[in-house]
Amino acid sequence: MTAPPPRTEHSRPQTASAVPDLPFKPQLVRAVFRDVTSLHVSRPAAWAASSVTRTVLTGIIDGARSAAAEEARKRLIPKDLVSAIDRNVEVEVGSTWYLHSPTFHGLMGEVRDADGALVSLRERRGARTPSGVAGAHRFEAGVRRLLGSRGVRAVPAMVRDLDGIASVFLTALARDAAKVVREGGVKRFGTVSLVVPGDPAPAPLLKDPLLALSTRRGDGRTVGGDDVLAAVTMQLFGDLGQRALTEAAEMTRNTSAN
């Protein structure tokens, strides 16, 4: 009997380990997409969305870590999250979560209706809990891994807030990516830059024309990596947005090559 040929490295299927470690795995990303759309989610899209969420959470954690360091603490508490957002408006994402977190109750301010009556927090939340808020617990393991990678720990209340922000941000990103597919591209876009008179205008945020997607290619049934990148331009801005785009674009190139 002839012996079967030995298996080579090329015969092994690609796995998640072939991609740089990300705290939020493709299965979780796809579960979030399923909450908002019936479209198929490609592998590059799942990794790109995971990469962007990691970039956002890293920015928040680093800001909170700096606030904690000023008090010689390595364990993050909710007020460090508030400080991080106050110091860098770019990381103020996941605002849906703020209505459901005790951390932000005293910071939301009063809201009154057309008759001047105070709108209660319950009314502002709405009758239905958003899917991103309801599913926030799914992010705990990834958040804890990300905290460990940044050399810090967090109290349970802080972990809960990071879970919630990650979940509602990724839910919004998924919703916008699905909208890009349905509408055939980004239909609302633009940037605002502050320029000192006499100084040259700053370079455009997106130097790679593939990222400035006013139109899209591909079928209308699948969310691709470029659709997620286009959605990033609708969710983020400034240095954080540029970093998220750069890291996610690199991720999609790596997964496509693999």
Side-chain angles (χ1 to χ4, degrees):
M1 180 181 295
T2 304
R7 293 182 65 186
T8 66
E9 289 294 322
H10 296 291
S11 65
R12 296 178 182 175
Q14 291 292 335
T15 64
S17 61
V19 182
D21 59 324
L22 291 173
F24 310 115
K25 301 305 180 185
Q27 297 91 328
L28 173 58
V29 173
R30 288 193 169 97
V32 173
F33 271 79
R34 283 196 299 270
D35 288 341
V36 299
T37 181
S38 60
L39 295 171
H40 173 69
V41 181
S42 69
R43 185 176 68 168
W47 284 114
S50 179
S51 173
V52 172
T53 307
R54 177 187 62 179
T55 301
V56 169
L57 264 289
T58 298
I60 294 173
I61 290 171
D62 286 349
R65 182 177 62 177
S66 296
E70 293 176 359
E71 299 181 7
R73 284 185 289 103
K74 283 195 174 182
R75 197 174 193 193
L76 307 184
I77 59 178
K79 77 171 186 177
D80 299 325
L81 173 60
V82 175
S83 295
I85 293 173
D86 283 345
R87 296 176 183 187
N88 184 1
V89 69
E90 293 177 12
V91 301
E92 189 176 344
V93 299
S95 56
T96 303
W97 175 254
Y98 301 163
L99 290 173
H100 294 262
S101 168
T103 299
F104 297 95
H105 285 181
L107 304 175
M108 298 300 291
E110 293 183 351
V111 175
R112 298 183 180 274
D113 61 20
D115 297 324
L118 188 66
V119 178
S120 69
L121 185 61
R122 183 180 296 274
E123 292 175 305
R124 291 162 66 184
R125 285 177 174 173
R128 177 179 167 275
T129 300
S131 60
V133 173
H137 63 279
R138 298 178 291 186
F139 286 75
E140 181 174 350
V143 165
R144 290 191 181 278
R145 284 196 298 270
L146 192 53
L147 285 165
S149 72
R150 309 309 291 177
V152 293
R153 296 178 299 153
V155 299
M158 178 69 167
V159 173
R160 177 205 61 210
D161 281 330
L162 292 172
D163 290 352
I165 290 172
S167 183
V168 298
F169 169 76
L170 182 53
T171 299
L173 188 69
R175 188 176 292 114
D176 279 347
K179 183 174 183 178
V180 170
V181 176
R182 290 194 307 269
E183 296 184 351
V186 178
K187 299 304 181 185
R188 50 191 175 94
F189 56 92
T191 59
V192 176
S193 299
L194 298 178
V195 180
V196 177
D199 287 355
L205 175 64
L206 302 178
K207 298 180 181 179
D208 185 345
L210 291 177
L211 301 181
L213 297 176
S214 58
T215 58
R216 73 180 294 271
R217 295 187 292 263
D219 64 66
R221 301 181 301 276
T222 302
V223 178
D226 285 346
D227 300 319
V228 172
L229 298 182
V232 172
T233 68
M234 302 160 70
Q235 289 287 328
L236 301 175
F237 66 96
D239 291 340
L240 180 65
Q242 182 64 73
R243 186 164 67 252
L245 282 169
T246 300
E247 293 176 0
E250 181 65 25
M251 183 64 62
T252 57
R253 283 194 291 270
N254 288 341
T255 53
S256 298
N258 289 333

